[in-house]
């Protein structure tokens, strides 16, 4: 098992309201939704270009290999957007890319 940083790009059909952003960050960070997004480190997890409707999530997952890590990151991204109130078709999620590995 190793710890992987996975970058997941995508698009959203509607703006991400502040409460939805907190909920999304709580899912991906495992934090209290009332506190997620309050501190600067959360800015590294989600980059959002509101006018264009594009986003990039940087997720850390534990997995046996790169393929499993990508699948885990996609699942986490889908769950986070669902918890934030986005229907399945309202978010386009792109191919995940491994951007960091710690197998130590």
């Amino acid at each position: 098992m190793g710890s992987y940083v996975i970058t997941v790009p995508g698009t959203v059909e509607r703006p991400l309201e502040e409460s939805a952003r907190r909920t999304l960050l709580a899912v991906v960070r495992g934090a209290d939704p009332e506190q997620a997004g309050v501190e600067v480190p959360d800015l590294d997890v989600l980059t959002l270009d509101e006018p264009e409707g594009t986003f990039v999530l940087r997720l850390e997952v534990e997995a046996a290999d790169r393929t499993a890590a990508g699948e885990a990151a996609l699942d986490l991204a889908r769950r986070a957007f669902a918890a934030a109130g986005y229907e399945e078709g309202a978010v386009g999620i792109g191919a995940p890319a491994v951007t960091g590995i710690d197998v130590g």
Side-chain angles (χ1 to χ4, degrees):
M1 290 291 274
S3 180
Y4 293 79
V5 176
I6 307 292
T7 299
V8 179
T11 59
V12 290
E13 289 185 353
R14 61 181 165 81
L16 186 64
E17 303 293 329
E18 187 57 36
S19 63
R21 178 187 173 91
R22 282 194 307 270
T23 300
L24 183 141
L25 290 172
V27 171
V28 299
R29 307 271 299 198
D32 176 358
E34 295 304 314
Q35 296 300 316
V38 174
E39 297 178 25
V40 173
D42 286 331
L43 296 175
D44 292 337
V45 174
L46 173 66
T47 301
L48 184 64
D49 183 354
E50 290 277 358
E52 298 297 320
T54 60
F55 68 86
V56 175
L57 280 170
R58 287 169 218 59
L59 307 173
E60 186 173 337
V61 297
E62 294 289 324
D65 58 36
R66 296 168 72 96
T67 301
E71 290 169 3
L74 288 175
D75 179 59
L76 181 56
R78 287 184 185 108
R79 284 187 289 120
F81 276 102
Y86 284 82
E87 305 265 335
E88 188 173 328
V91 178
I93 297 178
V98 175
T99 53
I101 302 173
D102 180 9
V103 292

